[in-house]
Amino acid sequence: AKTAQLEYEERAGKLIQATKAGEYAAHWSAIVGDALSAYPDRVAPLVAAAKTEAEIHRILAGETNALRRKMAKAISDAGY
């Protein structure tokens, strides 16, 4: 009975196989890790050239939103 319930939940999209979950986690980790590693090199020159606090805020907000969009696309592309 438990096996039938698990199979039903997998077909219904409520469960995924552990291997798929691991692949997704590794992919997600790579996206976030790459983005965070590149962040200082990409943002430092922009912030250094900024003249006002508002400009720094705009730069940081833009970079944060770009990362959010990249993560949302990764989730969408993975089918979750």
Side-chain angles (χ1 to χ4, degrees):
K2 276 192 171 196
T3 302
Q5 178 66 28
L6 291 174
E7 288 174 356
Y8 167 77
E9 289 182 4
E10 185 176 355
R11 285 192 309 273
K14 293 181 181 181
L15 294 177
I16 61 172
Q17 294 181 0
T19 54
K20 280 190 177 187
E23 291 170 3
Y24 176 73
H27 181 69
W28 177 262
S29 178
I31 289 171
V32 173
D34 290 349
L36 291 176
S37 293
Y39 193 83
D41 291 337
R42 188 175 59 253
V43 176
L46 301 173
V47 171
K51 305 226 185 300
T52 66
E53 184 178 326
E55 193 174 354
I56 292 169
H57 183 274
R58 181 188 57 76
I59 291 165
L60 295 176
E63 290 295 323
T64 301
N65 288 333
L67 179 56
R68 283 188 186 140
R69 285 190 302 275
K70 191 171 189 175
M71 286 189 270
K73 183 178 181 328
I75 291 170
S76 176
D77 289 350
Y80 299 104

